[in-house]
Amino acid sequence: MDLATLTSQLRALGEEALPKIAAAPDLAALDELDVAYLGRKGGALSGLMRGIGQLPAEDRPRVGVAVNEVREAVEGALASARQRTSQAALAARLAAEAMDVTTPGRPIARGSLHPIQETISRIAEIFGQFGFVTYEGPEVESDATNFQMLNIPPDHPARDLWDTMYVDIDGGLLRTHTSPGQIRVMHAEKPPIRALLPGRCFRYEAVDASHASEFFQVEGLMVDEGTSLADLRGLLDEFAHAMFGAGRATRFRPGYYPFTEPSVAFDVGCLVCGGTGCPACGRTGWMTILGAGMVHPVVLQHGGIDPERYQGFAFGMGVERIAMLRHGIGDVRVFLDNDLRFLEQFR
Amino acid sequence: MRIPLGWLRDYVDLDLSPEALAERLTLLGFEVKGLERWGSEWRNVVVGELLTVEKHPRADRLSLTSVHVGAAEPLQIVCGATNIAPGQRVPVALPGAVLPGNRAIERTEKMGVVSNGMLCSGDELRLSVDGEGILILPAGTPLGTALTDLYGDWVLDVDVKPNRGDALCLVGLAREVAAVTGSVARFPEITLREDGPPIGEVLAVGVEDPELCHRFVGRRVSAVRVGPSPEQVQRRLLAAGMRPVSNVVDATNYVMLELGKPTHAFDAGAVARDARGRAALVVRTARPGERLETLDHVERALSPETLLIADENGPLAIAGVMGGAASEVGESTADVIIESAVFDPVSVRRTAFRYALRSEASLRFEKGQESRLAWIGADRVTELIATWAGGSVAAGRIDTAPDEPVPARVGYRPARVDLLLGTRLGPDAQAALLARVGIATEPAPDGSGVVIAAGATPRSVAVAPGEARDAVVPPWRRDLLVEADIAEEVIRIAGYETVTGKTPDTAMPHVRPNPLELRDALRRALAGAGLTEVVTPALVPGSAAATLGWPVLAADGVPGEAAVDGLVVTVTNPLSERHAVLRRGLVGSLLDVLALNERHGRGDVAIFEVGKGYAQAPDGTPAEWWRLAFLVTGSAATPAWNVPARTYDLDDAKGIVDLLARVLAIPDPAWVSHLDGAPLHPGRAARAVAPGTLAGLIGELHPSVLAAWDLRAERVLVAELAISGLSAGQLVPVRVASVGRFQPCERDLALVVPEPLAAADLAATLRAAGGDTLRQVALFDIYRGAPLAAGEKSLAWRVVFAADERALTDDEVDADVARLVSAVASAHGARLRT
Ligand SMILES: [Zn+2]
């Protein structure tokens, strides 16, 4: 073995290996070529290097340079070939994994909250911004708490405003409004009072598209020194704007309740026609959303509050009425029917 | 109340459009609920003149007429009436007209003769109650004019509130209109020609009970001719919603609508005479056993509280409520006695309710009557009867209380009025506003107090000299009693819209816990887990509780949320049997919701409700408590092509309860096998127990319940839970445990145990034996079958050990596991599955 032979064998090895590496189809073939040419034990390059020892000492460094050249060339070729084939493999895998992205996603079950409860929450949230705190009262009340404490004595003609269901408990009845809660809050708290009382009410009333015998109200009460009708107006405007939109027109007009004086009816511009007049608003352009007024001095007294020092207002609204206007619901009966086709629209 | 504008114009000048008037009244507190064009059905009914009236060639009872309606050619019309003659002016319904009752008029052929419309009776047009013949119009009525233009009117439907009985009439509303328009309301002028004998010779009235009959004014008209009222009167009554009866009865109704004064006319011939030959009336309460046939021809047994108008033979009328049949004015009546009284409002209201006879009259008496109207009403009715029915009016009137009451004075402080209203009107502007509704004001005498509360708990406050004024209340106003009433009147006339709103700027109250906080958190968690919230009626059928047999969960282990297992609360006047008692639990209501949705073809239902149960406590007081209930059935996941189908089972229901436990920040509840006392599958029912926080019953409904509810679902999971704080609680803040720096050690133990052993019992033994490094015991598999023997099962547990301050060694954990294995071996005979 002489220098020239070894050098030419090295060149031949490189010329043989590089095209094979370039043509290798996959990583496994490259691994085989790696072992075949560069393997420590049976590799072709190792075989050639065994011949170095037979060369004269002065030739050995030159051969070492040549061997390294070939090794680096093969190693480089292997590395770039490996990168090429792994990219191809990844691309192939990704291609194989392609999905029809237009199919619908996997549904995640989600229920819905009832519009009555959600409307109550919304009302509480709006008044909560003005410091109104929620309270609750019982639904089985008495003639005294539902009527007499609210300045509605027995045989008062105003009783016609509340058709009442009575129960087999002495003096007991199902509250016709959330107003008895006013008295309870006044007994529990000292002014300043800002209270909100949501809850279920009952009336002896034939059920149709706009009347329910069971329904929900939210009562509000504010009592302090100097609390006035102007405060009531300002607060109700804020409420109407929060609930029905900032530009919503509002109207303040006289109402009648024995437990408020002056009494108020509060209207918003018709949510259907915007105020020009339509069947939904009786062609008036207005829709009444709640009743209110300054708490009658007699009621303050029944609540243990000095009407000479304090004054306040109360308001009461039908939750279904608000929800119907807000969501475009035409029939009050849907609320307690619980048809899932209705409820699930609130998901 | 229905207000025909044409009639209202008798009492006040109006230059507002009906719509504008409606709005003004609404803003004045008299809400106009409807605005109706009365008589719009007469648009194609015109005035015609009969040219010829001949016999129909082929029908004896029909006439063939030709009618001139202003057009070039007369119309040929067939008519069945007999009161027609050439030259008369009559209403002609042209083809295309639609008469009241949706009666369409067309060109027809009657017995071979073409009829181009119809001649109308007053009744067919609802212009009068005369249905006998064709309505004969006054001779000068313009030909061809539509009856809508002649007689049509705008009718306002005005909501008069119960405190304003004075405005439940045309004159009263005219006063209000005048207050806003600045015009003057006109009272009807009464002209009486009293050509009969002095009243004292023909009528005597005794009031036995002046507490119930404050005033009685009587008059008498002799030799009347009872018949129909003038047509304009009939039209007005019909437009106002009352049916004309006869000139005498119509006079009383007319005055009731005009002045708000109910009166009654008796046939004097039916009233007993006293020794001096006078018709003698007495006002008294009923005596035991007395009976009266009222105008509606119902014979009524009279209770002793009933105030009557009677004569010596017995009752004639129920005072203020309804007259008697025997003394009813009819065609044969010659002499009429007019009663115009003021009765006690409460007595009339109770009596009307007692006999279920609430009438237009009793409604007005209930609201209180102006005393002065007693004589004015009597005079006005008498005048109208004499005008419409003729006769001779006895001179003077019987009046049992002729002194008019002194006008009431209500003190008020102008500054307080402005403070209550949030306005800056000042005394003069307030006085000017009050003057517009007839309320005079003057400085209050020194030393007089101001009444701020009346009724059962009156309150008067002392005021500084010059601080208060007195409002002199007109006699018709009965609603102005205290200072706040004056404030309302001021702002009502000024217009509520003049109140400038401001957001409250006074001190805020202290923060209070929100009673809905915990309830809302649970509701939101359930909705997030796929359940839909329902709100169902609290009133249920009386039989529902018995049919379902769901026990009332006393929940003593959950403080503050106890229920009462007492009598149901029953509505004594239920609207229907379906809503007769207050429910004691929620599960039956959820079944109703399932049933309804099944009827709509929905089998997959997952719903919950947070609501109240109700019962009577042993002491007879009502008890109410909050519960959370849910129901799941059908597909547990939304059915989709990429979701494996799975139906709800007991484990899902338990998982829902576990979810609630996480919201409550408590450990998962323990499950205790529930054996009986609920309508549940005996092998698939459990009590959930988390002491102090949660208790409830959960399970699969018994098939017999599904059958009784007529449900198609095969398996329905339900639960009703008592949860501490559901009534008014807040969320408990999470207390964070140290996460630990050292890796925990997990070991899996498959334990073979006898089949009857409850997993919970095995877990309890493991936990008890685990020592203080045991962090978690979780079941991850249950296996039955070979190589296990029959009657055996393998429960596989993952147990986790950890210490806060150091890493555990394998030896330590091995020793812990060995202790667990030996504990369950000795307690339950469990062995490791190898
Ligand atoms: Zn509208």
Side-chain angles (χ1 to χ4, degrees), chain B residues 77 229 280 308 324 345 381 385 513 602 755:
Chain B
I77 293 176
S229 297
L308 302 174
V381 170
I385 289 175
R602 255 306 270 272
E755 184 67 61

Side-chain angles (χ1 to χ4, degrees), chain A residues 12-334:
Chain A
L13 188 149
E15 283 168 1
E16 176 198 311
L18 294 182
K20 280 191 179 174
I21 289 169
D26 53 23
L27 279 174
L30 287 168
D31 288 346
E32 269 176 35
L33 291 169
D34 194 342
V35 171
Y37 289 104
L38 303 178
R40 217 167 268 283
K41 289 181 178 165
L45 192 60
S46 301
L48 285 179
M49 281 168 72
R50 259 177 248 121
I52 293 176
Q54 299 159 17
L55 291 181
E58 65 270 23
D59 289 342
R60 286 181 196 170
R62 277 199 275 164
V63 173
V65 171
V67 166
N68 277 338
E69 280 174 0
V70 172
R71 183 191 303 278
E72 280 167 17
V74 172
E75 280 177 348
L78 279 169
S80 65
R82 280 200 171 98
Q83 195 184 356
R84 170 178 53 75
T85 52
S86 71
Q87 273 174 355
L90 183 61
R93 194 190 103 206
L94 295 181
E97 287 172 356
M99 298 173 74
D100 177 358
V101 298
T102 65
T103 57
R106 180 170 294 118
I108 293 172
R110 176 170 163 75
S112 57
L113 293 169
H114 197 283
I116 283 181
Q117 302 284 15
E118 285 305 275
T119 303
I120 289 174
S121 296
R122 177 91 183 114
I123 295 166
E125 189 184 307
I126 294 167
F127 285 105
Q129 294 184 23
F130 293 95
F132 281 73
V133 184
T134 299
Y135 296 78
E136 289 183 303
E139 292 163 26
V140 182
E141 287 277 9
S142 66
D143 192 87
T145 52
N146 194 76
F147 291 122
Q148 296 171 37
M149 303 285 259
L150 293 167
N151 197 32
I152 314 166
D155 302 306
H156 194 283
R159 289 203 174 208
D160 290 354
L161 299 175
W162 301 276
D163 289 321
T164 309
M165 282 197 257
Y166 296 90
V167 296
D168 59 344
I169 288 176
D170 195 24
L173 51 78
L174 303 181
R175 67 176 176 192
T176 58
H177 45 193
T178 42
S179 306
Q182 289 184 31
I183 302 286
R184 291 176 186 276
V185 169
M186 284 190 263
H187 279 296
E189 307 287 352
K190 288 186 171 59
I193 293 171
R194 300 188 190 189
L196 217 56
L197 289 137
R200 189 188 293 257
C201 304
F202 303 79
R203 295 221 182 133
Y204 185 81
E205 186 142 28
V207 174
D208 62 26
S210 48
H211 297 89
S213 56
E214 284 188 43
F215 58 96
F216 289 76
Q217 277 192 344
V218 174
E219 189 89 2
L221 175 71
M222 173 166 171
V223 179
D224 201 353
E225 290 176 2
T227 298
S228 74
L229 201 61
D231 293 312
L232 174 64
R233 175 74 206 253
L235 188 72
L236 293 183
D237 276 351
E238 296 283 347
F239 169 71
H241 294 154
M243 188 58 92
F244 299 113
R248 182 68 42 194
T250 65
R251 188 169 76 165
F252 217 47
R253 62 183 172 88
Y256 170 70
Y257 305 98
F259 37 91
T260 50
E261 189 75 32
S263 298
V264 173
F266 186 65
D267 303 336
V268 295
C270 176
L271 288 134
V272 177
C273 67
T276 53
C278 71
C281 57
R283 308 199 183 282
T284 63
W286 296 98
M287 288 178 153
T288 306
I289 60 164
L290 58 83
M294 301 305 294
V295 181
H296 197 287
V298 163
V299 176
L300 288 172
Q301 283 192 155
H302 285 309
I305 288 176
D306 179 3
E308 178 63 3
R309 178 171 173 196
Y310 294 105
Q311 48 192 44
F313 59 73
F315 55 85
M317 68 186 92
V319 176
E320 288 85 348
R321 171 93 175 139
I322 303 287
M324 287 167 84
L325 295 177
R326 204 165 137 75
H327 300 294
I329 298 166
D331 188 328
V332 74
R333 288 170 291 200
V334 299

Side-chain angles (χ1 to χ4, degrees), chain B residues 624-648:
Chain B
E624 302 175 19
W625 58 89
W626 285 93
R627 291 291 180 265
L628 185 156
F630 63 82
L631 176 154
V632 292
T633 185
S635 179
T638 313
W641 66 277
N642 47 6
V643 178
R646 194 174 72 71
T647 54
Y648 276 116

